Amino acid sequence: MSEVVERWGSRRAFIIAVTGAAVGLGNIWRFPWMTGENGGAAFLMLYVVFLVLLGLPVMIAEIMIGRAGRRTPIQALTHLARDAGKSRHWGWLGLFCGVTLFFILSFYSVVSGWSIEYLVDALSGHFASQSPQEIGSAFDAFLASPGRVLFNHTLFLFLTMSVVALGVGGGLERLNNLLMPLLYLLLVLLVGYAFTTSGFTAALAWLFMPDLSALTPMAIFNAMGHAFFTLAVGAGALMTYGAYMPDDQSLPRAVVTVAILDVAVALMAGIAIFSIVFSQNMAPDSGPGLMFVTLPIAFADLPGGALWLGAFFVLLLLATWTSSINLAEPMVAMLGSLGMARWLAAVLIGVGVWLMGLPSALSFSIWSDVRPFGDMTLFDLATTLPIDIMLPIGGLLIAFFAAWVMEGTRASMAIGAGERFYRHWRAVVRWVSIPLLVVVLVGFFLS
Ligand code: PHE
């Protein structure tokens, strides 16, 4: 495949597009869940450390590879490795990224399906008359019903793969970019509401006053995986964005802006959700249902709550819809480069992802007792494997490629922030990010 020649129209366009890939379920659903499960502020602190030492440097590495290669991941890696006189087997890293995207999309689609259910429930005024306890048990009852969960998973995946098959992702992305500020606005509104609740101070203490005894090996491991997941780093998705990045744009400035926005969205969601947790005397470690149980309670309290909650889920779904298109697109492109028709590739990937989503979808009902490793449910496995294991391994290899394999001058030009910055970045990746990643991964496998 030849080099791509199109470029993003402006510097802002690149930042908005990457923010679109970064902001999604990771910020609003998984961040509060993980923070609640791993002791609050201690987790947040670790996550920020990993974001700075691993997330940002590897994000630069990943976009840089795309920008220097100006091709899809497999081809960019093969091409850059060959130009540097290194093994063309580096192309396999692109395939590994594709497998990671496949696993991520499988549970992403199931959870986005939960949002479809909640959108319909919200608009039908279902939550308005319910007590917090009823809202909590309604979520469990929904998850325990395989038919409803599967229906929504199927619907969401169908919507995603149709857009990919028809190749109209660009239009949807523009709509997403246009509407995302509204999602941020709703979050600001929620934080304003949180301020009026009795749990607000407790939420701030929970999020910002670390209890270092909460730093378990699992917390460290989850925080590292989450730093990759939330920035959409480690699965090659951002290489594609890099391929369209204008030559004169500074990469570090762009990624720092994206990371700040990404953390801001997560923090707003966290403040809103934990204020409700503490004012309702709920447990912060209520698992993956945390967002789905707390937000309806918050909105039920506001005038016109059903509509606001509906609007929230519409915007969240739009965000997850575009994120999942970003997850699916590179896989379909990869099959396409083998000569397969686009629609056929989309159907095959869609069917594969649907099947792969079954363990997540049924983990809370008919397969709730299936626990192959310790007490982890199938849902825990389906999220932990790609997020906490595959993304960091992919990130490690991407970082290694960018800092040790690629030609220095090419890499330096692709960063677009001068030779000095490139040297600093390379030193950080070589002597901080890569060793840290290896230590945490090895430590986890040994523990
Ligand atoms: N960053 C996205 C989120 O937070 C998820 C994602 C991961 C998207 C990897 C693309 C690639 O929801």
Side-chain angles (χ1 to χ4, degrees):
M1 192 193 165
S2 56
E3 240 178 83
V4 299
V5 288
E6 304 97 289
R7 301 284 181 268
W8 301 102
S10 69
R11 290 158 192 234
R12 270 243 314 273
F14 174 76
I15 294 176
I16 292 174
V18 178
T19 309
V23 172
L25 287 175
N27 312 62
I28 298 171
W29 163 73
R30 195 168 189 270
F31 170 74
W33 162 28
M34 283 293 121
T35 310
E37 213 141 80
N38 290 302
F43 176 84
L44 175 59
M45 198 180 74
L46 270 178
Y47 154 72
V48 172
V49 169
F50 284 131
L51 215 59
V52 173
L53 297 182
L54 300 178
L56 285 175
V58 182
M59 192 177 188
I60 292 180
E62 187 170 331
I63 299 177
M64 180 175 115
I65 293 172
R67 194 188 202 183
R70 300 249 185 242
R71 284 165 179 81
T72 58
I74 296 185
Q75 283 120 349
L77 287 160
T78 313
H79 180 81
L80 292 172
R82 200 189 47 214
D83 282 1
K86 304 282 170 36
S87 163
R88 49 195 294 278
H89 289 305
W90 276 102
W92 289 103
L93 172 56
L95 192 68
F96 177 76
C97 288
V99 177
T100 309
L101 293 172
F102 183 82
F103 281 114
I104 293 181
L105 185 56
S106 71
F107 75 79
Y108 211 87
S109 164
V110 171
V111 177
S112 300
W114 300 352
S115 305
I116 298 185
E117 177 85 7
Y118 267 60
L119 168 64
V120 176
D121 281 355
L123 290 180
S124 60
H126 190 72
F127 299 115
S129 53
Q130 289 190 340
S131 69
Q133 287 70 25
E134 284 171 323
I135 291 178
S137 39
F139 182 74
D140 295 334
F142 160 60
L143 283 196
S145 135
R148 279 160 75 196
V149 172
L150 278 181
F151 173 80
N152 289 305
H153 166 48
T154 312
L155 178 61
F156 183 82
L157 199 57
F158 177 78
L159 290 174
T160 298
M161 297 320 290
S162 311
V163 173
V164 176
L166 298 172
V168 292
L172 193 74
E173 196 156 301
R174 277 193 290 282
L175 181 70
N176 178 58
N177 297 342
L178 209 70
L179 293 182
M180 272 314 94
L182 287 180
L183 179 66
Y184 305 155
L185 210 69
L186 266 184
L187 283 169
V188 172
L189 190 90
L190 270 179
V191 172
Y193 163 78
F195 181 71
T196 67
T197 64
S198 60
F200 186 70
T201 341
L204 291 189
W206 171 255
L207 277 171
F208 299 110
M209 282 168 46
D211 162 16
L212 294 184
S213 65
L215 290 183
T216 58
M218 199 58 190
I220 299 176
F221 186 60
N222 282 334
M224 181 169 87
H226 192 71
F228 283 99
F229 181 68
T230 191
L231 290 179
V233 168
L238 294 180
M239 282 184 202
T240 320
Y241 286 83
Y244 298 98
M245 191 175 184
D247 283 315
D248 59 348
Q249 186 165 10
S250 153
L251 187 45
R253 200 170 298 168
V255 299
V256 168
T257 313
V258 173
I260 291 175
L261 278 169
D262 193 73
V263 172
V265 171
L267 281 182
M268 288 195 289
I271 293 173
I273 286 175
F274 286 113
S275 298
I276 298 151
V277 164
F278 292 114
S279 51
Q280 299 290 340
N281 290 320
M282 293 163 64
D285 57 348
S286 347
L290 189 64
M291 175 196 99
F292 291 91
V293 174
T294 47
L295 293 186
I297 298 178
F299 281 107
D301 240 18
L302 294 169
L307 266 183
W308 287 111
L309 185 63
F312 177 86
F313 277 112
V314 167
L315 294 167
L316 181 66
L317 268 168
L318 197 61
T320 63
W321 194 8
T322 48
S323 288
S324 48
I325 290 165
N326 292 333
L327 288 162
E329 180 64 41
M331 294 189 271
V332 170
M334 236 176 301
L335 288 186
S337 70
L338 299 175
M340 191 181 286
R342 190 172 184 84
W343 69 269
L344 183 59
V347 170
L348 283 182
I349 300 279
V351 171
V353 169
W354 186 84
L355 290 172
M356 197 63 229
L358 292 182
S360 305
L362 303 176
S363 166
F364 302 91
S365 51
I366 52 179
W367 287 347
S368 61
D369 291 332
V370 183
R371 309 209 169 184
F373 300 103
D375 59 355
M376 287 180 94
T377 62
L378 288 177
F379 187 81
D380 292 334
L381 280 177
T383 49
T384 299
L385 175 70
I387 296 180
D388 295 333
I389 300 177
M390 294 175 79
L391 284 180
I393 292 178
L396 174 65
L397 295 172
I398 287 168
F400 187 86
F401 184 89
W404 290 103
V405 178
M406 237 173 115
E407 276 169 3
T409 36
R410 226 156 154 191
S412 154
M413 273 174 57
I415 286 192
E419 183 65 22
R420 244 190 58 209
F421 179 88
Y422 166 68
R423 282 178 198 283
H424 289 314
W425 166 85
R426 194 177 60 181
V428 170
V429 172
R430 285 184 172 180
W431 312 117
V432 181
S433 310
I434 292 178
L436 181 62
L437 258 162
V438 171
V439 168
V440 178
L441 280 171
V442 170
F444 177 78
F445 284 114
L446 294 182
S447 74

